[in-house]
Amino acid sequence: MCDKKLYILTYDHGGYVLWKDEVKPRLLKIFDWLEKYPKLRIGLDYESFTFDEFSKCDKEVVELTQKLLEKYPDRVGLGATTYGQPLSLTINDESNARQLLYAVRTNLKYFNKTPDVYAISEFALNNQTPQLISLCGYKAAILRSHVMGYGYPKTYDSAWGKWIGKDGTEIPAVPTYDKQGRGYNCTTVDNWILSRWPVDSELYSLEDFREMFKQYSPLLASRYDDLTQPIEEITAEIEKHDDYEYALLEDIPSIYGVPQDEYRTTDNDFRVQMPWGYCGNEIFNGCRQGEVNAVEAERLNALSVMLGGKSFEEKSEEAWKYVLAAEHHDVTICGLLDLSRRFIPTSLNASSFVKENSLKVIKEKFADKNNDSVVVINHHSFNIDEWLEIPTEKDVVAFDGDKELECEIIEKNNKKTLRVRTELAPFSVKCFRLKEATKKSNEQFFFNNETGELTTPCYKIKLTENGIAYIKDIATEKMIFGNNTGELFTGNVNGVDSVSKGEWKVEVYNNSAVATQKGEIGGIPFEFTMNFSGKSKRIDCKSRFTMNNELVGRTDVTQGRPVPFTLNGHHHEDKLCLSLNVNLSKDRKMFRDLPYSISEWNGALRKTEKYWYPDDDILIDTEVSPEESFSNTTYFHGIYWLCLRDNENGLAVFNKGCMGAALNGNHLLIPLIYSNEYMCGTRIIEGIFENEFAIMPFSSEMSNIDLHKEALCYVQPPVIVTAPKGNGELSEASFVELKENSKEIILTALYPENDYILARFCNYSDNNSSAEIFSEFGEITAETDLLGNELKAVTDGKLEFHPWEIKTVKIVRR
């Protein structure tokens, strides 16, 4: 196909977040431009949240948008393809699905139309995007991140092709051309020209762009950039060219026709960088709290509905929408604390309402007739084995039927807590009876105050004033990690490289131990706690730093190299970090989870390449060999977890928000605090900042899918609710069962919608798999897309999954 026209796609990137006061003036200006420039066709890339929020505070914005679309139906397009414009590699799987489906529904609600070609300004791309957008009805995609401050995709020597994602889904796509631009803190050359010519782009024009990429036909110059950019001059210039033609998203499939080339992507083709530790990780941690609470609340509501309770679909939607808005890239990368401190609590309050009202129904159905009891809910689709904490006023033990469970009473500050080990089947609810009992003596945990050595059923831990000298496997005496002098936290504070120091207090109980260090690093007071439970290998950790406007992280030199101002916040080694020296061989590998994915990270070094920018070298991530990745610092991140493993052992870090890591050899640094100069908004922090994470040593026998399940249990533990004596009809029930017990299939969402329930599953493996889904409380009737539209009937609950395939099924209550 040879088409000599230059097609121009231009969309205003903005919306309520960051650009609230600029939206209305720009809409009014567009009315004028459309009359002044007859060729102009323009799109509105406003996050769909914009229309929900302006409908409450300034309806005229919504009305102006409606008028533009009605008056100029062929010249003005909607560009909002996500609800909250996230950076999709830093939000969880279900958040990625909701960003898409709520965008579609919101667009249809206000305008009775929605884009059918997926396009974004900043980095909302991942290797499952083809599958997810196909399940929302999209016909094609623009495989470009136009503004690449925080991420970029692979480039292709091609004009048009089939983007083939992780599960094999194909969707037609216009790629980022080779040399069009890739790297951090830059834009594609056409985006720069269309946003800034001639003011800031004197060296290049659209004619230059056409010459630079003349081998591609049809040739598309696209812009998805800020609505404040001065575009009128180039709009006037385009008007003069008969061979320039504007396009809207919906025109792309007809312009390009049937794609022939193939763009097969891998997880590692999507590069991302984030300012981990920025704002004390407050926003990242808050977004994580919001999304997991939204998932948990709607799952509980689904169980309640199955028991005859009321659906709180509207409240769940509110919980989702506000956390999706908090995940907006400008909230997270510009540190918009005023918005995050409004959006996240609003989401959490809505989730809390749904959870509390759903639990009322559940506990009434399971209340024991003769005893006070505890109702425990496993809302995962796999078996769990967890220690839970239950407030109590008496010394009690818990019984599962006639079986006494492993329990202990912990008393602090005149308050008692019952800790109990629970084993639950997938998606099950159990009622545990409580009976008074006497305390038992300690048998499994010991602390030698003279040597500073704590012994648990799994580990020997040497504690020092600097932190942790080592952790050994008690059975093999093998070193899991050793920190030489024992540094726990490291960081550059007020220009000085600092190491933490403090004193430990260790409390030993029947089935647990709590080790707490209080100290300081560079004058910053901190408290760090490790919790050990029974024979569980997971070590639950919590850090708490009291900040008083200290400068944390370096802005001058890192590893002997000057640090450009544009990269402050992205050099993690000098932030306030948790420091772990892992004892693994040199053939160790790195793994992490991403949205609906688990993958090996191939390692990358930060190098520079020169593209079309005349004065600047652009920083990119270059793939390196395992040897290079071992001897040089690389960065990687995982949504819920990341790990290092060799042929015998490994160590995973699970997180509740601090998703990034810096790695040099086997030295792993988890950045927790950055408080220094930053190009998108310096935030020097004051107050208390907390992070929660877990350290999980494991043997090579543990698969990555099992690690993923362990991380899910950590981030989303079982739900417990105390129930007084009552007339409950049930003592135990499983709500959704995978009868084939396929270990690769994991449920990611369960929620009521209209008069049915939707359950979403993903095959987390490279293999074809199958599952037979059964529920005593409902009938599985059909597969649906992400929007709930039926795709095909389901017989006997049987589903077949391709590798990494996502499927949603409809459950009709019996």
Side-chain angles (χ1 to χ4, degrees):
M1 183 178 189
C2 185
D3 188 337
K4 295 301 183 181
K5 290 180 182 178
L6 174 61
Y7 290 95
I8 297 167
L9 185 86
T10 184
Y11 278 66
D12 271 358
H13 171 65
Y16 182 89
V17 175
L18 193 64
W19 306 111
K20 176 184 176 182
D21 296 333
E22 306 293 340
V23 172
K24 189 184 296 184
R26 184 65 160 205
L27 290 172
L28 293 171
K29 190 171 288 186
I30 289 174
F31 277 100
D32 294 337
W33 287 347
L34 289 165
E35 294 301 318
K36 187 175 180 180
Y37 305 108
K39 288 179 60 176
L40 176 63
R41 302 173 76 199
I42 191 169
L44 308 175
D45 177 37
Y46 301 164
E47 69 271 358
S48 298
F49 171 76
T50 293
F51 308 118
D52 273 337
E53 202 65 8
F54 273 122
S55 71
K56 301 171 187 174
C57 65
D58 189 350
K59 290 184 178 179
E60 188 181 2
V61 169
V62 179
E63 292 167 354
L64 285 170
T65 306
Q66 290 169 335
K67 288 177 181 177
L68 271 175
L69 294 168
E70 291 168 2
K71 186 174 181 180
Y72 304 100
D74 298 323
R75 298 180 64 195
V76 178
L78 275 179
T81 55
T82 60
Y83 187 78
Q85 295 191 12
L87 299 169
S88 70
L89 283 174
T90 63
I91 62 176
N92 75 358
D93 41 26
E94 197 55 31
S95 283
N96 273 275
R98 303 309 173 95
Q99 288 282 1
L100 295 169
L101 75 88
Y102 284 130
V104 171
R105 288 178 177 172
T106 304
N107 295 341
L108 293 174
K109 173 184 175 181
Y110 292 103
F111 313 114
N112 199 33
K113 65 185 301 184
T114 193
D116 61 4
V117 174
Y118 184 79
I120 48 87
S121 172
E122 303 192 39
F123 202 53
L125 299 170
N126 62 72
N127 201 25
Q128 286 283 36
T129 297
Q131 180 178 191
L132 290 168
I133 63 177
S134 293
L135 287 168
C136 285
Y138 286 92
K139 297 177 181 178
I142 308 293
L143 183 49
R144 296 177 182 175
S145 184
H146 294 80
V147 179
M148 296 174 283
Y150 296 84
Y152 60 90
K154 188 177 180 180
T155 63
Y156 293 89
D157 183 17
S158 173
W160 175 245
K162 293 178 286 188
W163 177 10
I164 305 173
K166 184 163 187 128
D167 77 310
T169 296
E170 300 178 359
I171 193 158
V174 179
T176 310
Y177 310 132
D178 283 347
K179 306 300 181 183
Q180 186 183 359
R182 71 181 177 113
Y184 297 124
N185 195 43
C186 63
T187 81
T188 54
V189 59
D190 46 340
N191 184 87
W192 191 268
I193 296 166
L194 288 166
S195 299
R196 297 160 177 85
W197 185 91
V199 179
D200 292 325
S201 199
E202 295 177 355
L203 292 177
Y204 294 100
S205 67
L206 284 175
E207 281 300 296
D208 295 319
F209 174 82
R210 182 150 66 173
E211 179 63 25
M212 293 162 70
F213 302 102
K214 60 186 177 182
Q215 68 270 37
Y216 302 122
S217 177
L219 178 62
L220 181 72
S222 59
R223 163 190 169 266
Y224 256 66
D225 208 339
D226 295 345
L227 55 80
T228 55
Q229 297 291 359
I231 69 168
E232 186 167 7
E233 283 192 69
I234 197 164
T235 302
E237 177 66 22
I238 292 169
E239 204 73 21
K240 303 172 185 176
H241 293 258
D242 293 336
D243 53 353
Y244 289 1
E245 183 174 319
Y246 282 105
L248 297 177
L249 289 178
E250 48 266 36
D251 302 318
I252 296 298
S254 61
I255 289 172
Y256 281 88
V258 178
Q260 301 298 321
D261 296 343
E262 291 187 353
Y263 310 145
R264 292 186 180 273
T265 55
T266 70
D267 289 329
N268 291 333
D269 288 332
F270 300 89
R271 305 289 178 162
V272 69
Q273 70 171 3
M274 291 296 280
W276 305 121
Y278 184 44
C279 299
N281 270 337
E282 175 186 331
I283 299 175
F284 296 122
N285 294 343
C287 288
R288 170 60 52 77
Q289 187 182 10
E291 64 187 3
V292 299
N293 274 268
V295 166
E296 177 184 275
E298 66 184 11
R299 288 184 183 183
L300 294 174
N301 193 213
L303 303 188
S304 171
V305 168
M306 289 181 178
L307 292 169
K310 181 180 177 182
S311 171
F312 298 105
E313 185 180 340
E314 289 186 7
K315 270 293 182 182
S316 284
E317 183 175 302
E318 179 183 345
W320 269 116
K321 285 186 170 182
Y322 276 100
V323 76
L324 298 178
E327 291 169 346
H328 190 289
H329 61 271
D330 283 327
V331 174
T332 55
I333 66 178
C334 298
L336 303 182
L337 289 164
D338 57 332
L339 293 183
S340 70
R341 289 172 181 174
R342 176 163 73 89
F343 294 167
I344 294 170
T346 301
S347 174
L348 292 174
N349 287 338
S351 293
S352 179
F353 175 89
V354 175
K355 178 178 177 178
E356 289 174 6
N357 283 279
S358 299
L359 285 175
K360 286 179 183 178
V361 175
I362 295 171
K363 74 177 183 180
E364 286 174 3
K365 293 289 185 179
F366 285 85
D368 189 86
K369 294 180 175 63
N370 302 311
N371 302 278
D372 291 343
S373 58
V374 175
V375 178
V376 183
I377 304 156
N378 173 17
H379 51 82
H380 293 291
S381 57
F382 46 84
N383 295 322
I384 63 166
D385 183 349
E386 287 286 313
W387 282 86
L388 303 179
E389 294 189 353
I390 303 163
T392 180
E393 296 180 355
K394 303 175 182 179
D395 292 342
V396 293
V397 293
F399 280 81
D400 180 0
D402 296 327
K403 178 185 176 182
E404 182 178 342
L405 300 175
E406 290 183 67
C407 298
E408 67 180 357
I409 292 290
I410 294 177
E411 191 167 350
K412 288 184 179 180
N413 302 321
N414 297 319
K415 291 184 178 180
K416 294 183 178 182
T417 300
L418 171 66
R419 300 188 76 253
V420 57
R421 181 187 172 195
T422 58
E423 296 179 84
L424 291 173
F427 255 104
S428 64
V429 181
K430 269 191 177 183
C431 179
F432 297 141
R433 292 180 293 112
L434 302 181
K435 290 186 177 181
E436 291 191 38
T438 57
K439 292 182 179 179
K440 297 179 181 179
S441 60
N442 170 55
E443 298 174 354
Q444 302 184 72
F445 292 79
F446 308 93
F447 179 63
N448 186 323
N449 196 54
E450 293 183 2
T451 64
E453 191 170 70
L454 171 64
T455 303
T456 80
C458 299
Y459 306 119
K460 288 183 179 178
I461 304 102
K462 174 75 171 181
L463 304 175
T464 71
E465 68 172 5
N466 288 115
I468 305 169
Y470 59 75
I471 295 182
K472 294 180 180 179
D473 185 287
I474 197 168
T476 64
E477 286 289 318
K478 183 179 177 65
M479 188 82 74
I480 294 169
F481 70 80
N483 276 8
N484 301 320
T485 58
E487 71 272 11
L488 179 64
F489 298 112
T490 60
N492 188 279
V493 181
N494 291 327
V496 178
D497 291 333
S498 304
V499 176
S500 61
K501 290 185 178 180
E503 294 183 357
W504 286 97
K505 177 183 178 183
V506 179
E507 300 166 279
V508 173
Y509 303 95
N510 294 348
N511 293 291
S512 65
V514 181
T516 303
Q517 187 181 53
K518 292 184 178 181
E520 58 85 26
I521 175 170
I524 298 172
F526 75 86
E527 180 175 311
F528 173 72
T529 303
M530 292 188 294
N531 285 276
F532 304 85
S533 297
K535 295 180 181 179
S536 170
K537 289 200 168 184
R538 193 181 78 206
I539 306 169
D540 293 351
C541 303
K542 186 173 183 178
S543 65
R544 179 185 177 98
F545 297 94
T546 303
M547 304 296 298
N548 188 26
N549 298 303
E550 293 88 356
L551 297 180
V552 178
R554 299 181 77 152
T555 60
D556 50 357
V557 174
T558 296
Q559 295 187 339
R561 303 187 306 273
V563 179
F565 179 66
T566 53
L567 297 178
N568 290 347
H570 298 290
H571 287 269
H572 304 312
E573 303 93 311
D574 303 306
K575 298 175 182 178
L576 205 165
C577 295
L578 175 73
S579 176
L580 302 171
N581 277 300
V582 185
N583 185 34
L584 296 171
S585 64
K586 283 197 172 184
D587 64 355
R588 62 102 177 99
K589 296 179 179 180
M590 299 172 277
F591 295 87
R592 74 275 180 69
D593 75 310
L594 297 171
Y596 298 103
S597 177
I598 299 170
S599 68
E600 181 179 352
W601 172 239
N602 58 11
L605 301 180
R606 298 301 178 89
K607 295 184 178 180
T608 56
E609 281 190 19
K610 189 176 288 292
Y611 282 104
W612 57 269
Y613 289 80
D615 301 319
D616 298 320
D617 289 332
I618 302 304
L619 188 70
I620 65 168
D621 282 334
T622 303
E623 294 184 17
V624 297
S625 67
E627 293 76 18
E628 287 179 295
S629 73
F630 194 88
S631 58
N632 295 274
T633 298
T634 185
Y635 301 150
F636 74 121
H637 87 279
I639 306 296
Y640 285 130
W641 60 272
L642 50 83
C643 81
L644 305 176
R645 63 157 72 227
D646 59 21
N647 290 330
E648 295 184 357
N649 297 288
L651 185 129
V653 178
F654 305 154
N655 74 80
K656 293 189 178 180
C658 48
M659 292 172 267
L663 180 67
N664 189 309
N666 279 327
H667 187 200
L668 190 65
L669 294 168
I670 309 296
L672 304 174
I673 299 285
Y674 179 76
S675 178
N676 217 316
E677 293 181 0
Y678 182 57
M679 65 172 292
C680 290
T682 298
R683 302 286 182 262
I684 308 300
I685 58 177
E686 181 178 16
I688 295 172
F689 295 86
E690 297 180 340
N691 285 281
E692 293 186 63
F693 45 89
I695 301 167
M696 175 93 175
F698 60 91
S699 72
S700 60
E701 297 174 357
M702 177 169 277
S703 67
N704 285 331
I705 186 85
D706 289 331
L707 276 178
H708 189 61
K709 291 175 182 177
E710 290 283 348
L712 289 173
C713 281
Y714 170 69
V715 176
Q716 299 175 316
V719 176
I720 58 175
V721 58
T722 55
K725 295 177 186 179
N727 295 312
E729 305 163 7
L730 302 169
S731 60
E732 182 176 354
S734 292
F735 286 81
V736 179
E737 299 179 54
L738 296 179
K739 294 184 71 174
E740 292 291 322
N741 197 29
S742 179
K743 66 178 183 180
E744 298 95 353
I745 308 299
I746 295 179
L747 183 139
T748 64
L750 184 76
Y751 56 101
E753 187 163 280
N754 299 322
D755 57 350
Y756 48 83
I757 289 168
L758 293 177
R760 188 148 35 252
F761 300 87
C762 180
N763 176 13
Y764 280 83
S765 78
D766 292 320
N767 307 311
N768 290 322
S769 190
S770 62
E772 187 175 343
I773 304 169
F774 172 77
S775 175
E776 293 182 6
F777 299 88
E779 180 183 359
I780 290 82
T781 62
E783 284 186 37
T784 76
D785 61 15
L786 289 186
L787 302 170
N789 301 311
E790 292 191 9
L791 299 176
K792 65 179 180 179
V794 174
T795 304
D796 299 327
K798 293 181 179 178
L799 295 176
E800 300 294 328
F801 288 82
H802 298 305
W804 306 103
E805 186 174 14
I806 302 162
K807 287 197 172 185
T808 306
V809 297
K810 180 182 289 187
I811 303 174
V812 178
R813 186 169 176 265
R814 293 185 192 277

